[in-house]
Amino acid sequence: MEVQYKIIGGDGIEYGPATLNELKEWILDGRVAAMTRVWRSDLSAWSAADRYTELRPDLARLHAAAAQQTRPCGFWARLAAYILDGFVMGAIFVMVWTPIATPRHWTVPEIPQDATQANVERLRDDLSVWMDHALPIFYPIFVLYDVLLVGSFGATLGKMAIGAKITLVDGSSIGYGRALLRWFAARLSEFCCFFGYFVIFTNPQKRALHDWLAGTKVVYTK
């Protein structure tokens, strides 16, 4: 009996069964990449595609072609996308925050005109209280905005604006699970004055710390 294969696509859905020739066509179509989960009937087990010797030559050709066709996105373009995303998320936050905060009288602290020690301490306390209210609203918005867009389209609105997208290192779609992992890894990149982002300057692939941790890269779509 001929060996059959199944895969877990980038959308998390199972596809197959398929023959080896059909699976190789899926590789050429970009539906199967090195880390795609593949099931083989004679083994009755799921493994990454590059674990199967019969698939490695086609995967290698696909990876080489993808590397030639993509151009890594550098620091300054990614900074512009980050700022654009900040404005978008800020607008979304205000729309969500206002109807919640208004009836509860949660107002943004005003900066005092006189910078006396008492006023500075009062402002610090008021900001602390405001952050206690704001962060539980902001972070869910942040996570949903980033993970849903990146998982669905491979890019946030900021990255779409600069013509870039996030992929796995083999060029395949990132998916929701990896998008969530990358979001958490990006928070590590923001520690120590955003040091993780400056890692972009240290490698030709222009990958930030969170790209290395999540196994992703940012490339231009054209």
Side-chain angles (χ1 to χ4, degrees):
M1 183 176 179
E2 185 177 10
V3 175
Q4 298 288 305
Y5 298 83
K6 297 179 183 179
I7 70 168
I8 301 296
D11 54 6
I13 298 176
E14 181 180 308
Y15 294 92
T19 64
L20 177 59
N21 288 335
E22 289 173 330
L23 188 60
K24 289 184 175 184
E25 290 179 1
W26 290 357
I27 293 174
L28 295 177
D29 292 339
R31 295 177 59 187
V32 178
M35 298 308 295
T36 300
R37 304 295 292 175
V38 177
W39 178 89
R40 203 169 81 179
S41 60
D42 60 331
L43 299 177
S44 298
W46 292 90
S47 296
D50 63 359
R51 298 292 298 274
Y52 297 103
T53 56
E54 67 269 30
L55 302 180
R56 287 174 184 168
D58 296 276
L59 290 169
R61 284 193 290 270
L62 178 68
H63 179 72
Q68 292 177 353
Q69 294 174 1
T70 58
R71 182 165 57 96
C73 185
F75 177 85
W76 297 110
R78 291 175 67 169
L79 177 61
Y82 188 93
I83 293 171
L84 288 172
D85 285 327
F87 281 116
V88 173
M89 286 189 293
I92 296 172
F93 172 76
V94 170
M95 289 188 292
V96 175
W97 165 263
T98 301
I100 296 175
T102 300
R104 294 172 173 80
H105 305 289
W106 295 344
T107 58
V108 179
E110 295 183 0
I111 299 177
Q113 294 181 351
D114 299 325
T116 63
Q117 182 176 354
N119 285 339
V120 171
E121 291 179 353
R122 187 179 303 109
L123 176 62
R124 182 186 60 195
D125 293 340
D126 290 344
L127 281 173
S128 178
V129 172
W130 185 79
M131 293 290 284
D132 289 341
H133 296 315
L135 289 182
I137 297 173
F138 174 76
Y139 270 102
I141 293 172
F142 191 5
V143 173
L144 289 173
Y145 173 83
D146 193 282
V147 173
L148 291 180
L149 284 173
V150 173
S152 298
F153 307 107
T156 58
L157 296 180
K159 285 186 172 59
M160 292 180 192
I162 66 169
K165 68 176 180 178
I166 304 166
T167 70
L168 298 182
V169 290
D170 60 10
S172 59
S173 299
I174 184 171
Y176 296 106
R178 195 63 67 93
L180 181 60
L181 172 62
R182 189 178 187 276
W183 185 89
F184 281 110
R187 306 292 71 77
L188 295 177
S189 285
E190 292 174 357
F191 287 154
C192 298
C193 300
F194 290 78
F195 171 79
Y197 285 88
F198 290 99
V199 175
I200 292 172
F201 290 113
T202 67
N203 60 95
Q205 298 86 13
K206 303 186 185 301
R207 298 171 68 192
L209 174 63
H210 50 283
D211 289 313
W212 290 100
L213 293 175
T216 60
K217 62 182 179 180
V218 182
V219 297
Y220 286 106
T221 56
K222 296 181 181 180

